C-alpha cells in the first residue's frame, strides 16, 4: 500500500465498506497498523542484508503481541464487512456436517475406529467387541478442553490390546504429552510423559515403550527455540520419566531426527537416524538377547526402513540403488547392504509404502499420482492387483498375520473417503462405511493433463470442475501446490474445495518437481539449487489454465501451505502479474534464517543453508520471498495465514513477510495477515477454526476477484 498509509498508530480503524450485496467493484479502504522498523542487518559473504523487522521473531514479546492484535483487528474488520462472508461460512458448515469414519483396526480382540458426527471439533475414538457389535465411545478428545484446541495426536496399543499409550497436542504445538491407559477400566497408568516431539510410540511387550524427544528449549522460547539433538528413549511403565533410558541420539550420537520401532514379534528394534527430512542411517537391535545396536546403513544418502521380519530375515524398504524404491531381504546377523537380496525389484512406478496382513504384502504404487495396490506373498510372488473403485488414493491394508479381512480407505476429488473391507483369499472388496455428503458427484468431472514447464519438462496436473464448464477464461480458479520434501499430492476429497467447485470454480493441483510422484529423481529435480524448477512448474501451471480458457489473471488464485507457502511467496514475488489473489499459509518465507528456529535445520537437504557457501547464499537470496519484495510493485491481493502456536514453521516468517509487503506494495490490492490463536501448523485444528478460516479465505478471494459466489447472489 502507499507509504502515506504506513505509519499510522497501532489502534488504527478500518475504513467503511464501499460495496453492497450485489457488487464488489469498489474496494474497502484499509489503513494498516504501523510496524516499527529497527535498523538491523546480517552479512553473508560480504553482502549486507537488512532485516528491519527482526524484532517480530520474538513471538512472546509485548510489542509482537500488540502488533498481532492490531493486524488481526484490521483483517477481521475487512473480512467481516464482505457481505457474503457469512453465506460462505453457513454453506461450509452445511457441507461439513456429515459423518466421517476411519478404517477399523483390530487391537487384541476388539476393533477401534474414529468417527466425527459432522461438526465435532475433534474425531472420537470408538470401540467394538466385534464388527457386528454396537460401537461405544472409548476416548473423546473433545473433552480434553472446552474449546477443542487439545487434540489426540497418536495412539499405540500393546500387542494384546490391554494398554493404550496416546499422545496429545495442546493448541496445535508439535510438543506432545504421552499418557497410558488401562483399556479394561479406562484408568490412566503411571506418570504423564512431557516434552515429547516428532515421536512415535512403540511398545516392547507390556513392560514399556520407545519414544523420541529433544531437550526443551530455554524458558520463553518453547515455540521457536532451535531443536538439535533428538533422543530415542525407553520408558519402563510405572517408572518416572527422569529414569528413562537413552537408547540412541543426544550428545553421544547427535542426530536431528531419531525414531525407534519394535517388530510385531517383539524381536527387533529398528532405529532410524537422520539429519534432514530425507536420507537416513539404519540400525537394528536384537531385543531377544539384548544385543548390541548393529549398523545397517551408515550414511544419509538414501531412505531406508525395516518394515517387517520373518524370524531372522529382515524386510527393508529402500531407495538405495533404486530411486523408485525396492524391497530387499537380509539376515539380521549380517544386515549390511552388500548382503541385501531383491525381494521386490524397482519398477517404473514409484513404490510409496507397504502393509502386511494375513501373511501377505500389500504394496502401494503411484502411477501418475494415483494409487495402485498389488498383493504379494512373503516370498515376493505377485498374486493380484487390488481392484479400486476409480482413479484416486487408497491407504490401509494393515493387519495381523492371522487376519483374512483387512480394511482400506479410498478417496478422490469428488469421492468422499469411503471405508472398504477386503477379503484377502478372494480379493473381494466391499463397502464397509460410506458417508452421505450433500452434493452430486456426477455433476463434476476430473481430468489429468500434462503441460510443459519452462525447461520443457512435462508436468501432470489434476483439474476439477463442474461438467459443462464454459471455457471463456472467466472462471474463478484455485491453483494449489506443494512441490517439496518428496511429498506426493494425490487425489483426495475436501469439503472446503467442494464449496469452491459448486460455486462455479475450477480446482487445479499440479504435481510439481520436488515432490515424490515420480520417485527420488523427481524430488531431486526440485531440491537445493534446483528449487527454481518448482516455482517454474507452478507458474507454468497458472499460464496453462489461462491459455486453455479455464481462467484469467483476474480470476486466478494461488495457494499452498508450509513448503507450499514458500511456493506461493516465491511465485507472487517473481510473477506478481500471474494471478489476482495469493494465499500463502504457514509459509517458509525467510530462506536465510529458516534454519535458526525449531527443527528448521533439518530442512537443509531440500533447501540448503545460506551461510554454507557463497553459491548457496546467492541462490537462496535470489528467490527468498521476504528478500524479493520490491518497492513500488503491485502485488496480488494477499491474505497471509499463520498461527501463534506454530512451532514447525514459526509465525515470524509470515509476520516479517506481511510487514514488508505492506510497506513496499503499490496499488489497491489489500495485503492482510490472519493470525489464528491457540493453533499450530495445522494438525489437530478444531473443526470450528477450520470452517472459519476457509470462510475467510474464500470471502477474501471471491471479493478480490470481483465475484459473488453463486449461492450468495
Amino acid at each position: 500500500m502507499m507509504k502515506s498509509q504506513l505509519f499510522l498508530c497501532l489502534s488504527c480503524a478500518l475504513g467503511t465498506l464501499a460495496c453492497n450485496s450485489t457488487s464488489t467493484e469498489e474496494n474497502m479502504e484499509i489503513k494498516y497498523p504501523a510496524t516499527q522498523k529497527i535498523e538491523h542487518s546480517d552479512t553473508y559473504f560480504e553482502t549486507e542484508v537488512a532485516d528491519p523487522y527482526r524484532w517480530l521473531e520474538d513471538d512472546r514479546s509485548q510489542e509482537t503481541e500488540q502488533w498481532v492484535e492490531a493486524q488481526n483487528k484490521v483483517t477481521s474488520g475487512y473480512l467481516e464487512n464482505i457481505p457474503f462472508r457469512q453465506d460462505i461460512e453457513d454453506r461450509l458448515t452445511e457441507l461439513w456436517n456429515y459423518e466421517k469414519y476411519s478404517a477399523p483396526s483390530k487391537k487384541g480382540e476388539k476393533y477401534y475406529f474414529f468417527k466425527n458426527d459432522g461438526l465435532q471439533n475433534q474425531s472420537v475414538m470408538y470401540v467394538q467387541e466385534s464388527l457386528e457389535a454396537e460401537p461405544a465411545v472409548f476416548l473423546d478428545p473433545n473433552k480434553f478442553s472446552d474449546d477443542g484446541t487439545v487434540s489426540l495426536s497418536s495412539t499405540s496399543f500393546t500387542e494384546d490390546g490391554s494398554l493404550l499409550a496416546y499422545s496429545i497436542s495442546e493448541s496445535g504445538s508439535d510438543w506432545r504429552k504421552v499418557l497410558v491407559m488401562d483399556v479394561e477400566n479406562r484408568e490412566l497408568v503411571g506418570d504423564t510423559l512431557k516434552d515429547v516431539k516428532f515421536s512415535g510410540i512403540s511398545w516392547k511387550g507390556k513392560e514399556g515403550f520407545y519414544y523420541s524427544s529433544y531437550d526443551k528449549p530455554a524458558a520463553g522460547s518453547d515455540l521457536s527455540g532451535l531443536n538439535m539433538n533428538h533422543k530415542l528413549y525407553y520408558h519402563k511403565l510405572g517408572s518416572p520419566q527422569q529414569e528413562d533410558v537413552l537408547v540412541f541420539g543426544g550428545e553421544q550420537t547427535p542426530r536431528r531426527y531419531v525414531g525407534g520401532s519394535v517388530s510385531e514379534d517383539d524381536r527387533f528394534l529398528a532405529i532410524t537416524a537422520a539429519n534432514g527430512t530425507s536420507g537416513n542411517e539404519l540400525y537394528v537391535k536384537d531385543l531377544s538377547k539384548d544385543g548390541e545396536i548393529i549398523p545397517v546403513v551408515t550414511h544419509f544418502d538414501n531412505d531406508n526402513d525395516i518394515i517387517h521380519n520373518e524370524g531372522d530375515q529382515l524386510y527393508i524398504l529402500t531407495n538405495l540403488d533404486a530411486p523408485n524404491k525396492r524391497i530387499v531381504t537380509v539376515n539380521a546377523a549380517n544386515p549390511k547392504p552388500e548382503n541385501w537380496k531383491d525381494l521386490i525389484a524397482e519398477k517404473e512406478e514409484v513404490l510409496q509404502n507397504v502393509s502386511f496382513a494375513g501373511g501377505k504384502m500389500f504394496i502401494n504404487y503411484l502411477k501418475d499420482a494415483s494409487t495402485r495396490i498389488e498383493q504379494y506373498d512373503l516370498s515376493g510372488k505377485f498374486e493380484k492387483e487390488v481392484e479400486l473403485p476409480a482413479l484416486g488414493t487408497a491407504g490401509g491394508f494393515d493387519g495381523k498375520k492371522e487376519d483374512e479381512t483387512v480394511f482400506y480407505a479410498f478417496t478422490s476429488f469428488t469421492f468422499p473417503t469411503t471405508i472398504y473391507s477386503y477379503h484377502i483369499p478372494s480379493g473381494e472388496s466391499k463397502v464397509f462405511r460410506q458417508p452421505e455428503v450433500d452434493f452430486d458427484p456426477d455433476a463434476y468431472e476430473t481430468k489429468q493433463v500434462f503441460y510443459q514447464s519452462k525447461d520443457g519438462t512435462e508436468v501432470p496436473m489434476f483439474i476439477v470442475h463442474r461438467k459443462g464448464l464454459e471455457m471463456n477464461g472467466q472462471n474463478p480458479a484455485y491453483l494449489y501446490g506443494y512441490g517439496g520434501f518428496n511429498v506426493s499430492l494425490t487425489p483426495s476429497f475436501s469439503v472446503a474445495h467442494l464449496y469452491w467447485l459448486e460455486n462455479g470454480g475450477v480446482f487445479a493441483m499440479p504435481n510439481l518437481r520436488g515432490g515424490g510422484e515420480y520417485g527420488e529423481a523427481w524430488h531431486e529435480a526440485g531440491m537445493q539449487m534446483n528449487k527454481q524448477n518448482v516455482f517454474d512448474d507452478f507458474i507454468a501451471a497458472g499460464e496453462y489454465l489461462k491459455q486453455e480458457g479455464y481462467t484469467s489473471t483476474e480470476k486466478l488464485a494461488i495457494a499452498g501451505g508450509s513448503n507450499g507457502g514458500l511456493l506461493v511467496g516465491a511465485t507472487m514475488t517473481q510473477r506478481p502479474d500471474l494471478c489476482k489473489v495469493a494465499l500463502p499459509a504457514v509459509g517458509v518465507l525467510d530462506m536465510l534464517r529458516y534454519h535458526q528456529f525449531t527443527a528448521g535445520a533439518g530442512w537443509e537437504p531440500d533447501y540448503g543453508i545460506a551461510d554454507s557457501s557463497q553459491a548457496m547464499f546467492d541462490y537462496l537470496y535470489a528467490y527468498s520471498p521476504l528478500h524479493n519484495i520490491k518497492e513500488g510493485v503491485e502485488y496480488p491481493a494477499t491474505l497471509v495465514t499463520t498461527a501463534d502456536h506454530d512451532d514447525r514453521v514459526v509465525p515470524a516468517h509470515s509476520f516479517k513477510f506481511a510487514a514488508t509487503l505492506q510497506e513496499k506494495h503499490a496499488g489497491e490490492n489489500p495485503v492482510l495477515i490472519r493470525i489464528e490463536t491457540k493453533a499450530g501448523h495445522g494438525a489437530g485444528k478444531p473443526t470450528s477454526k477450520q470452517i472459519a478460516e476457509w470462510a475467510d479465505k474464500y470471502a477474501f478471494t471471491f471479493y478480490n476477484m470481483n465475484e459473488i459466489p453463486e449461492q450468495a447472489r
Side-chain angles (χ1 to χ4, degrees):
M1 189 54 80
M2 298 298 185
K3 283 187 175 180
S4 60
Q5 295 178 331
L6 284 177
F7 301 105
L8 301 173
C9 66
L10 281 173
S11 59
C12 68
L14 179 69
T16 57
L17 176 65
C19 70
N20 56 46
S21 61
T22 59
S23 173
T24 64
E25 293 181 357
E26 297 184 57
N27 292 321
M28 287 183 262
E29 180 186 355
I30 303 173
K31 296 180 180 179
Y32 298 119
T35 304
Q36 183 183 16
K37 298 179 71 173
I38 298 175
E39 187 174 337
H40 187 100
S41 65
D42 297 306
T43 300
Y44 298 84
F45 304 99
E46 300 183 356
T47 299
E48 187 175 355
V49 179
D51 195 1
Y53 300 124
R54 175 73 62 88
W55 62 272
L56 286 169
E57 291 180 0
D58 185 355
D59 55 355
R60 288 294 174 262
S61 73
Q62 184 177 359
E63 292 79 10
T64 302
E65 184 178 338
Q66 291 173 345
W67 183 87
V68 167
E69 183 179 347
Q71 291 284 351
N72 271 343
K73 183 177 180 180
V74 171
T75 300
S76 61
Y78 180 95
L79 295 169
E80 289 167 4
N81 277 294
I82 295 174
F84 47 77
R85 187 224 168 269
Q86 189 59 49
D87 293 317
I88 295 175
E89 182 166 351
D90 291 346
R91 179 54 181 158
L92 280 170
T93 302
E94 290 176 356
L95 288 170
W96 224 285
N97 193 15
Y98 71 94
E99 292 182 338
K100 308 164 189 71
Y101 292 91
S102 74
S105 180
K106 191 176 183 181
K107 305 297 180 183
E109 298 302 317
K110 301 177 181 180
Y111 290 88
Y112 296 85
F113 66 92
F114 285 90
K115 175 189 173 185
N116 191 305
D117 288 342
L119 297 176
Q120 289 173 292
N121 277 321
Q122 304 291 339
S123 294
V124 177
M125 191 176 188
Y126 285 80
V127 62
Q128 291 175 281
E129 297 296 328
S130 69
L131 291 174
E132 294 75 32
E134 186 71 21
V137 172
F138 178 75
L139 186 62
D140 185 357
N142 296 290
K143 295 181 179 179
F144 292 171
S145 63
D146 293 336
D147 58 4
T149 59
V150 179
S151 62
L152 180 63
S153 300
S154 63
T155 60
S156 178
F157 285 86
T158 54
E159 186 66 23
D160 66 359
S162 64
L163 295 170
L164 167 67
Y166 63 95
S167 64
I168 62 172
S169 169
E170 297 168 315
S171 300
S173 171
D174 281 334
W175 291 103
R176 306 286 195 253
K177 294 178 179 177
V178 177
L179 302 90
V180 179
M181 176 192 291
D182 184 305
V183 170
E184 189 64 31
N185 58 32
R186 311 282 177 90
E187 293 181 357
L188 296 181
V189 178
D191 295 333
T192 297
L193 304 189
K194 299 179 180 180
D195 301 338
V196 177
K197 189 171 186 179
F198 298 153
S199 177
I201 303 171
S202 190
W203 285 93
K204 179 183 181 297
K206 298 168 58 175
E207 296 79 29
F209 54 84
Y210 294 89
Y211 70 95
S212 306
S213 194
Y214 302 92
D215 290 335
K216 201 74 177 285
S221 61
D222 291 3
L223 299 177
S224 59
L226 192 62
N227 303 139
M228 289 298 292
N229 297 333
H230 216 194
K231 301 176 182 180
L232 177 66
Y233 287 103
Y234 174 73
H235 174 71
K236 185 178 180 180
L237 199 60
S239 64
Q241 187 176 4
Q242 58 265 30
E243 293 181 8
D244 289 353
V245 177
L246 176 65
V247 178
F248 191 96
E251 295 179 0
Q252 300 175 19
T253 45
R255 305 288 186 266
R256 288 199 183 94
Y257 305 111
V258 177
S261 179
V262 179
S263 58
E264 184 179 340
D265 62 1
D266 264 358
R267 170 77 183 278
F268 295 105
L269 171 67
I271 300 172
T272 57
N275 282 329
T277 51
S278 62
N280 65 278
E281 300 171 325
L282 182 63
Y283 302 84
V284 65
K285 177 181 172 71
D286 190 336
L287 297 174
S288 68
K289 54 187 178 183
D290 196 25
E292 297 294 319
I293 294 175
I294 300 174
V296 182
V297 178
T298 56
H299 58 76
F300 305 109
D301 298 337
N302 304 96
D303 298 321
N304 312 278
D305 289 289
I306 297 174
I307 54 174
H308 185 67
N309 75 293
E310 290 291 322
D312 291 332
Q313 184 171 250
L314 305 177
Y315 289 58
I316 299 175
L317 177 63
T318 181
N319 61 9
L320 176 63
D321 299 324
N324 289 351
K325 293 193 175 180
R326 59 182 172 139
I327 301 172
V328 301
T329 57
V330 69
N331 189 284
N334 297 288
K336 292 285 191 179
E338 56 263 30
N339 299 316
W340 292 0
K341 295 180 181 179
D342 273 5
L343 182 72
I344 304 293
E346 180 186 26
K347 291 187 176 185
E348 184 178 351
E349 293 94 354
V350 179
L351 198 167
Q352 287 285 99
N353 54 61
V354 187
S355 300
F356 292 83
K360 308 295 181 182
M361 292 186 293
F362 296 91
I363 302 181
N364 185 320
Y365 286 103
L366 273 190
K367 182 173 177 58
D368 293 331
S370 289
T371 299
R372 287 181 56 244
I373 303 291
E374 293 183 354
Q375 178 179 317
Y376 292 79
D377 69 15
L378 295 182
S379 70
K381 180 184 176 182
F382 172 79
E383 294 187 338
K384 58 176 72 86
E385 181 173 345
V386 177
E387 185 176 347
L388 299 176
L391 287 178
T393 304
F397 299 94
D398 295 298
K400 303 299 181 184
K401 291 181 180 180
E402 64 273 14
D403 291 343
E404 286 195 352
T405 298
V406 291
F407 298 88
Y408 68 92
F410 180 84
T411 184
S412 194
F413 293 110
T414 57
F415 198 109
T417 300
T418 300
I419 309 304
Y420 290 83
S421 65
Y422 177 76
H423 186 243
I424 296 172
S426 67
E428 182 182 7
S429 290
K430 292 183 178 179
V431 172
F432 183 72
R433 289 190 175 112
Q434 187 170 28
E436 296 182 6
V437 186
D438 181 22
F439 90 113
D440 177 12
D442 293 332
Y444 305 93
E445 63 178 293
T446 300
K447 64 186 74 171
Q448 187 179 43
V449 301
F450 290 81
Y451 65 92
Q452 281 198 348
S453 189
K454 183 178 181 179
D455 63 359
T457 298
E458 292 281 319
V459 181
M461 176 164 59
F462 292 103
I463 303 176
V464 192
H465 56 75
R466 185 184 291 158
K467 289 179 179 177
L469 181 78
E470 187 176 354
M471 307 292 275
N472 59 7
Q474 294 304 305
N475 304 296
Y478 191 95
L479 177 63
Y480 173 81
Y482 189 78
F485 295 96
N486 207 24
V487 172
S488 300
L489 294 187
T490 60
S492 64
F493 185 76
S494 164
V495 176
H497 294 159
L498 178 58
Y499 177 86
W500 184 262
L501 294 172
E502 70 176 13
N503 280 277
V506 175
F507 176 79
M509 187 179 79
N511 297 111
L512 313 172
R513 281 175 283 185
E517 292 87 351
Y518 293 102
E520 184 58 23
W522 195 251
H523 176 209
E524 291 177 359
M527 290 169 57
Q528 296 215 6
M529 291 192 183
N530 292 322
K531 190 66 178 177
Q532 184 59 42
N533 288 335
V534 185
F535 313 139
D536 291 341
D537 291 355
F538 198 56
I539 291 167
E543 296 292 9
Y544 176 91
L545 294 173
K546 292 189 284 187
Q547 291 165 7
E548 296 298 314
Y550 288 97
T551 192
S552 62
T553 296
E554 292 299 308
K555 304 296 181 182
L556 177 62
I558 60 174
S562 195
N563 175 74
L566 162 62
L567 172 69
V568 173
T571 298
M572 64 179 283
T573 51
Q574 292 183 18
R575 284 290 309 277
D577 61 326
L578 179 70
C579 62
K580 180 61 177 180
V581 176
L583 303 168
V586 293
V588 186
L589 299 164
D590 182 347
M591 297 309 297
L592 303 186
R593 287 181 54 76
Y594 75 86
H595 59 292
Q596 300 292 331
F597 307 103
T598 62
W603 311 335
E604 178 182 2
D606 252 59
Y607 295 149
I609 290 178
D611 45 18
S612 64
S613 70
Q614 174 81 57
M616 198 70 248
F617 162 71
D618 290 341
Y619 196 85
L620 290 168
Y621 193 39
Y623 78 75
S624 176
L626 174 65
H627 301 97
N628 283 277
I629 300 171
K630 303 294 192 297
E631 184 83 41
V633 173
E634 182 174 9
Y635 290 99
T638 304
L639 179 61
V640 181
T641 52
T642 187
D644 65 349
H645 277 68
D646 189 346
D647 48 5
R648 186 85 55 84
V649 179
V650 295
H653 284 275
S654 295
F655 294 174
K656 295 199 296 182
F657 184 76
T660 305
L661 201 57
Q662 288 177 352
E663 173 194 349
K664 296 185 177 182
H665 167 61
E668 297 302 319
N669 290 330
V671 173
L672 301 173
I673 181 168
R674 183 188 189 277
I675 305 148
E676 186 65 80
T677 57
K678 297 188 73 176
H681 199 58
K685 183 179 289 186
T687 295
S688 56
K689 286 183 179 289
Q690 293 184 57
I691 292 174
E693 182 174 336
W694 276 106
D696 285 345
K697 289 198 290 190
Y698 280 156
F700 180 87
T701 300
F702 277 118
Y703 183 77
N704 282 284
M705 287 180 174
N706 195 27
E707 287 276 342
I708 297 173
E710 293 178 7
Q711 295 166 345
R713 293 174 188 169

